[in-house]
Amino acid sequence: MESSARLRRFIIHFVAVAALAARLAADPADPTVGEWKTFGNGPSHTGFYPTNIGTAPITPGWSKSLGLAINQVAVSGNQIFLTTNVYFGNTTYAASLSTADGSEIWRYPLPQAYSVNPPTYDSGRVLFQRCDHASDTYLYALNSKTGGLLWAAPHDAQWEQYQAPTVFGDGVWVNGGYYGGMYGFDLATGAQRFYQPLPQEDGWTPSYYGGVIYSCVSGIFKAFDPRTGSELWTRNLRLPNSSWYSAGVLAIMNNRAFVIGDGSLVAVDLVNRVVLWRVNGAFTGTPATDGDVVYALVGNTVSAYSADAGKTLGAYTASGNLFGQPLILNDAVMAANGTNTFVFDKATFALRTTLATGGALSYTKGILYTATADSSGTLATYVVQLSEPEPAPTPTPSPTATPTVTPSPTLTPTPTATPTSTPTPTASPSPTAKPTPTPGPNPSEPLWVDAKVANSIAYFIFASSAPHLERFDMQANTWLPTITLSGAPTSFAVDSDAIYVSFGRRTARLNLDGTNETALANTVADVTASLVSGDYLYLLYSGTQVSSINKSTGAVKDAKNFFYSMTGLSIAPTKNKIFGRDTGVSP
């Protein structure tokens, strides 16, 4: 009887393991060619780009100094996507450059922040986190073609640095949390799916492989359901008396996950859920793998180990200590420090060439990109004369989802409500004009949100159950037709050209008669004050942040973050100044 029970348990275990192996193999998220979308060339962060470059010379291409520290770049089609990262810097932005010559395609200015992490490109979106403590940290999604804000998802954080967001299918996963953790978001809308508490560590990002999300923080390896964040299984990788108090990015391929921590390189078997092997050494950075071999940095070398058993295969030796993650091709190994990039022959371990710039490496379509995190912010390119053709550039699609934004954050790690898009119908004037009012408020009419005067017309905007805008011609002493609004307004401005209305985080332009509503911009929080002068519209949101946008195109010109919240904004065009009352101190 007991032997029969043991047999049943064995069969159940065998079937479960076989099912898991089939699931992992069916959706491996293997690295691709034609693009470099994110850190490690994909959501499994292998650092592997499967192509041959041969032995032809690697020659310098164009180089561009941005004068600000920059993160590793993402590349898709004919566009490069980058973010600057100056701690507490006043000049911070995301941008797209042309792969042909480095010319700027668009720029999205960001308010001052503690850190901005590297970008990830996926499905017409550029995603990155801007971290500035709990009440001012967001995961951004920009339109890759225009740089316009699609959505900004708030989440908790302290003063931290993160790696690039992990994206696969319809999900986005990032490091975050006031005391550490991981978030899952919907790629199309930015709606928060889950928050999973984890120890508080900097510099990592989750890894996706085979329908599962993985992390390794402080030596605890965990697997999660990618939609709910529920924990599937866990393994403690720490040794007795361990000093593993850090987080590593997992490189995953062929059902094996590799991570560096606590003076060791560790391999985990994802099917049997056990430590496969461990190699001790002074390892740094993130490992890389092509499936057969694992590559890890030790001082000035890239050490190579067999992926199945951890057997030492050899080392690639550079002239200075290396950092980051090695970049692996079919026939070459690349690694860098702050000043140089070293290219090795993969088979012989010999140094092929030393390039004149270093930094974070990205590679696609015969072009190597090096991005430096020093004050020069140099993005340099190197042209590889390929021994075999690569795929044609992948077209960069536009996002198909309606741009939305998530609600304002709370300091408790609970999922935010799913955001909904606000329809944008064309406003139509009322068929009848109002009579001249008698003095005093009308008790049947709600109080207005704000009032403005322009072109001898007084504007009164209402956020009632039927949002609308009333206009009074002060010269003719008569009411003009009512303008029906498409949503509840939070702020507005008027000039001689148009009416500009903010509906929470969405700002639109209307003709002076209320027709032809046109979307201009999204902001990360509700707009509470609007001013217009010359070619620009100035929007106050989050109480402390002001963005200037082109009033015709919606392109963001600049963004600033102020220490105190402001209210009662007004503008003096002749002085080129904006005035406001500081709510944090006495007037």
Side-chain angles (χ1 to χ4, degrees):
M1 190 71 172
E2 177 61 27
S3 61
S4 177
R6 284 198 302 268
L7 178 61
R8 282 197 301 271
R9 287 195 296 269
F10 171 78
I11 292 173
I12 292 171
H13 174 74
F14 178 81
V15 171
V17 169
L20 175 62
R23 180 184 182 188
L24 294 176
D27 183 19
D30 283 333
T32 59
V33 291
E35 295 176 303
W36 187 276
K37 291 184 176 182
T38 188
F39 176 73
N41 190 28
S44 52
H45 307 306
T46 62
F48 179 45
Y49 189 93
T51 194
N52 295 294
I53 63 172
T55 58
I58 298 175
T59 57
W62 58 261
S63 179
K64 185 170 187 174
S65 178
L66 301 174
L68 295 167
I70 57 175
N71 293 307
Q72 181 188 40
V73 300
V75 186
S76 179
N78 62 354
Q79 288 182 272
I80 303 164
F81 306 105
L82 65 84
T83 54
T84 62
N85 192 8
V86 181
Y87 303 134
F88 293 109
N90 288 323
T91 304
T92 304
Y93 59 87
S96 173
L97 308 181
S98 167
T99 57
D101 56 11
S103 57
E104 189 171 288
I105 298 173
W106 54 255
R107 177 182 296 197
Y108 186 87
L110 296 164
Q112 175 181 318
Y114 173 73
S115 66
V116 179
N117 72 344
T120 292
Y121 165 81
D122 195 275
S123 305
R125 296 168 175 83
V126 182
L127 300 110
F128 58 90
Q129 287 165 281
R130 172 188 164 274
C131 179
D132 200 46
H133 215 261
S135 61
D136 190 25
T137 295
Y138 297 88
L139 169 64
Y140 284 75
L142 305 182
N143 185 305
S144 64
K145 292 287 191 182
T146 66
L149 178 66
L150 297 174
W151 50 260
H155 59 86
D156 289 346
Q158 292 194 45
W159 309 117
E160 292 165 301
Q161 297 172 266
Y162 301 129
Q163 251 299 352
T166 297
V167 181
F168 188 84
D170 63 356
V172 186
W173 303 274
V174 299
N175 178 10
Y178 195 79
Y179 294 109
M182 178 178 67
Y183 286 90
F185 296 95
D186 183 273
L187 175 62
T189 66
Q192 183 179 312
R193 290 177 174 174
F194 68 82
Y195 168 79
Q196 175 63 248
L198 291 169
Q200 187 173 17
E201 300 290 355
D202 276 10
W204 68 278
T205 190
S207 294
Y208 173 95
Y209 184 87
V212 180
I213 288 292
Y214 297 94
S215 71
C216 186
V217 183
S218 294
I220 307 301
F221 187 99
K222 290 179 179 289
F224 304 94
D225 183 288
R227 187 162 293 273
T228 66
S230 59
E231 187 177 309
L232 302 177
W233 57 275
T234 183
R235 291 294 179 270
N236 188 347
L237 307 186
R238 299 164 67 97
L239 295 171
N241 302 316
S242 172
S243 59
W244 194 330
Y245 296 104
S246 63
V249 180
L250 295 159
I252 307 176
M253 197 170 182
N254 293 348
N255 298 328
R256 304 184 189 104
F258 307 97
V259 66
I260 288 171
D262 199 19
S264 58
L265 170 65
V266 184
V268 178
D269 183 328
L270 299 183
V271 176
N272 296 300
R273 304 176 179 179
V274 296
V275 173
L276 189 62
W277 51 261
R278 181 191 304 262
V279 175
N280 295 325
F283 297 101
T284 59
T286 299
T289 182
D290 58 10
D292 297 321
V293 180
V294 184
Y295 304 84
L297 303 181
V298 183
N300 67 331
T301 67
V302 183
S303 296
Y305 304 91
S306 63
D308 58 350
K311 179 183 177 181
T312 301
L313 302 177
Y316 307 85
T317 304
S319 59
N321 285 346
L322 304 169
F323 65 69
Q325 183 185 39
L327 196 158
I328 312 302
L329 306 173
N330 285 341
D331 58 355
V333 172
M334 301 181 183
N337 54 30
T339 54
N340 296 106
T341 299
F342 306 90
V343 182
F344 302 93
D345 184 276
K346 192 176 185 180
T348 67
F349 295 91
L351 178 65
R352 279 188 51 192
T353 186
T354 300
L355 306 178
T357 59
L361 307 180
S362 306
Y363 178 89
T364 180
K365 299 189 293 291
I367 305 293
L368 175 67
Y369 300 85
T370 66
T372 65
D374 59 19
S375 59
S376 70
T378 299
L379 178 61
T381 61
Y382 293 89
V383 180
V384 181
Q385 302 299 322
L386 297 175
S387 62
E388 60 181 34
E390 288 209 30
T394 303
T396 306
S398 298
T400 55
T402 302
T404 56
V405 289
T406 56
S408 299
T410 61
L411 296 183
T412 55
T414 55
T416 58
T418 302
T420 56
S421 300
T422 305
T424 311
T426 302
S428 57
S430 170
T432 59
K434 277 186 172 290
T436 303
T438 56
N442 181 352
S444 64
E445 186 72 51
L447 295 177
W448 57 75
V449 172
D450 198 2
K452 300 284 176 70
V453 175
N455 315 315
S456 298
I457 296 175
Y459 296 80
F460 305 90
I461 199 163
F462 296 85
S464 61
S465 57
H468 61 285
L469 185 66
E470 302 285 3
R471 301 171 296 159
F472 184 74
D473 188 324
M474 294 186 294
Q475 290 184 337
N477 197 36
T478 185
W479 287 98
L480 301 176
T482 296
I483 295 174
T484 301
L485 300 176
S486 63
T490 56
S491 180
F492 83 114
V494 186
D495 65 4
S496 59
D497 299 324
I499 304 169
Y500 310 90
V501 184
S502 294
F503 304 94
R505 301 185 181 191
R506 176 176 64 89
T507 297
R509 184 182 67 250
L510 290 74
N511 292 340
L512 290 173
D513 62 359
T515 60
N516 194 28
E517 180 179 313
T518 303
L520 274 184
N522 289 331
T523 50
V524 301
D526 291 352
V527 175
T528 56
S530 308
L531 301 168
V532 62
S533 179
D535 294 331
Y536 294 98
L537 180 65
Y538 302 88
L539 305 176
L540 173 68
Y541 51 95
S542 296
T544 61
Q545 297 181 13
V546 177
S547 287
S548 57
I549 67 171
N550 186 292
K551 69 178 187 180
S552 299
T553 66
V556 180
K557 174 66 175 177
D558 203 357
K560 294 296 181 184
N561 195 7
F562 297 93
F563 188 75
Y564 290 111
S565 294
M566 293 177 289
T567 187
L569 263 62
S570 61
I571 194 165
T574 58
K575 299 292 186 181
N576 199 31
K577 293 183 183 295
I578 294 174
F579 298 88
R581 182 181 184 278
D582 187 335
T583 61
V585 296
S586 34

